[in-house]
Each structure stands twice: as structure tokens, then as C-alpha cells.
Amino acid sequence: MEETQKRRIEKLSSHLTPNPAYATQVKPGHTECPVTHHDYKDVYAPLLEGRPIRVLVTGAAGNIAYAIAFAIARGSLFGPTTKIALHLLDIPPMSDALKGVQMELEDCAFPLLSEIVATTDVKTAFTKVDVAFLVGAFPRAKGMERKDLLKKNCTIFEEQGKALDQYSSRDVKVIVVGNPANTNCAIAMANAPSIPKRNFSAMTRLDHNRALSQLSNRLKVPVDQIHNVAIWGNHSSTQYPDVSSASAVLSNGHSLPLRSAVNDDNWLHGDFITVVQQRGAEIIKARKLSSAASAANAAINHVSDWLQGTPKGEFVSMAVASDGSYGIPKDVIYSFPVTCSGGNWKVVQGLSVSAFSRGKMDATLKELEEEKAEAFSFLKK
């Protein structure tokens, strides 16, 4: 797409014009949005084409997908100027509830929502989509064996991977939210050989956000003053929230390494990790329902940063197909600290890995490899 940087900035900064205080901050050579703090030059090219972006949400009548759909429609994903064609998919038994979601979206009269495709047909849902939120998955019922859960989800994500391969944009960006997210992502990726592996991801941003919140509470500073926490591995109770490269800006304005700011390795190696790992279970215990709003928010964070770029000097956590970094075997869907630009992610290199960290990283890798092997055994049958 031929377009000068000046025109790119003008187009992307058009949402600033109603507010002179912001608009006057957009100066020649200035490429950071003063509202979102995304770098204009890092934005994914299709967002500049002037057409509606086709976004698919599966499991659309469920609680997480419901929250995601409304966030997308109001502009939380790509900002207040990008039109959205929203594709909503659910299974036939949920068709009435899906219709209700569609009616509610219509009743909101969202200016950015140019089209709603609400369907139980997989082909219709996946056709020409640019971004896919794969939220729908088979939930673990009481008394269900783990292998039975994996088998059920293998069927779902095998079908959806094939649908991505056959019907979606060749550059579709995929986030898997439905659990077990890493393994479901691996199944979808394996069944979509025409889609680049780099276009598949699983969500560990909820774990990342939970870690930020726990540290913010501990240090009594705003959450945006905690920087560069990392989640390694699986979105499960073996995940490793790591503060080795993190920093915090304290109330006195001084920036310190996070470990120095907390000054309590016993807490960082103990309760902090456990709380983040077990937070989902604690929410279920308290609400009698799984995380919904926080999961939806994390999914929006994940895709927004992926397609609009991470702020300079910041990294986030995404489960992606390993490129071999940090000794993680290639193509394992594993959470890494990443930076994003132009719709691409890059694993942050050169981070220090202590013996403690290595042990945690290897433990979650072991679980992932075992889970993947068991799941893929069902695909061959």
C-alpha cells in the first residue's frame, strides 16, 4: 500500500481533532499517539485501508465472547475511527441466545459497527475474516477426565483450523481464548497450513494483567507504573510469572528494578506466583462463575497491542509458536515476553534466566508437551 508517513499519521490521528489539547500534540515527525501511546508507524497496514475490519468471535453467546463483542463494537480494539464488520459464531443450540446478542448490538447503535454476521454456520462465520477471537471451547464438566476434555476440544479446534485455512484472509490474525488455550491453538495451527504460524497466538495476557495488579497492590503504585513483567509457558497453573526484568516507578518518582522495589524474594518466589497461577480458580470459588470481563479485557489488550504496536520500551506476554528462543522447542505454543510492530510479534531477546526461572520454565514446558502429545493423538484417529 503506497502512502506517505504524513498521510498515515493524518489518518490515524484523525480521532484527535475533536480535542484541541490532543490535536496540538501531533507535530511533524511525531509518531506516538498521545491518547493510546501506540506508535503510528507500528500499526498493522490493513487498519489503514479505509474498509471495515472483519472480526470473528466464536462462542459468541457465552459470557466472555459477549463482553468481547461489545468492546470491539464500541471501538476498544482498534480505536474510534476503524469500522468493524463483526462475525459472531455459536453452535446451533445457542442460536436463540446468539440472536439476542445481535439484537442488543443493534440496539446500541454503535457508529463503528458497519455489519453484523450472526450465524451457526462455520463457513459463513470464517469467510474473509481479518481477526479471529476463538473463544468457544468445551468446558470441563464435573467429573470429566482431562483426556475427555482434550478430545472434545480437538474436534472443535480441528474444524476451526480447517475453516481458517479454507475461508479466512490469508493474513488472518488468530487469538485462542478457549481453554486449554495453548493446546487448542496448536491444534488450530496444525490444521491451517496455508496460514503463517506467526499468525496464531493463545492468550496469556490475563495472567500478565493479574501479575501487574498483584505487584501494583503490593507496592501501592498505579498499575501503569509496573513495567515488563513476563509470563512464560502454559496458560495453566504451571505458568511462570517472572519479574526478573521488570521495573517499577515508585511514589517518589524513582524507578527501581521490581525485585529491589518489592525487597521480598520469598513473596516473589512464593505467594506472588501462586496467586497469579490460581487466580482463575479463586474467582470461580468467589463468583461461582469463571472470569469473563477480565478475560475479555485481556483479549482486547492482546490483539490491540499485536496490531497497533507495543509502546516503546514495553513488552507484553503472548503465547506464540516458539522460534527456539530460550531453549523452548520450535513451534511449541509457549508464552514469551514479546514486542509488537506492524502486526508482527518478536520475542524479547537477551533476558537473564536464573536457575529458579529455568526450573519453572521447564516445568511448564513439560506440561505443554505432554498435553500436546495427548491431544494430537486424538487427531490421528
Side-chain angles (χ1 to χ4, degrees), residues 135-187:
V135 182
F138 197 90
R140 188 166 191 168
K142 186 175 181 180
M144 178 181 278
E145 294 290 334
R146 179 170 164 274
K147 66 179 181 181
D148 295 327
L149 177 67
L150 288 172
K151 189 173 184 178
K152 288 279 190 182
N153 280 299
C154 275
T155 302
I156 295 169
F157 286 88
E158 181 178 20
E159 178 186 40
Q160 294 186 355
K162 290 176 178 177
L164 288 163
D165 197 53
Q166 294 176 46
Y167 309 124
S168 298
S169 160
R170 297 302 82 193
D171 197 32
V172 61
K173 305 297 187 184
V174 182
I175 172 176
V176 177
V177 178
N179 287 319
N182 297 55
T183 297
N184 289 342
C185 181
I187 294 165

Side-chain angles (χ1 to χ4, degrees), residues 225-239:
Q225 300 303 299
I226 309 292
H227 304 283
N228 295 340
V229 171
I231 302 294
W232 300 92
N234 199 6
H235 174 60
S236 75
S237 60
T238 68
Q239 63 173 271

Side-chain angles (χ1 to χ4, degrees), residues 268-288:
L268 288 172
H269 287 172
D271 287 351
F272 165 66
I273 293 175
T274 302
V275 166
V276 176
Q277 290 174 335
Q278 301 295 332
R279 187 70 163 186
E282 288 299 308
I283 288 171
I284 291 172
K285 183 178 177 181
R287 292 188 69 232
K288 308 301 186 285

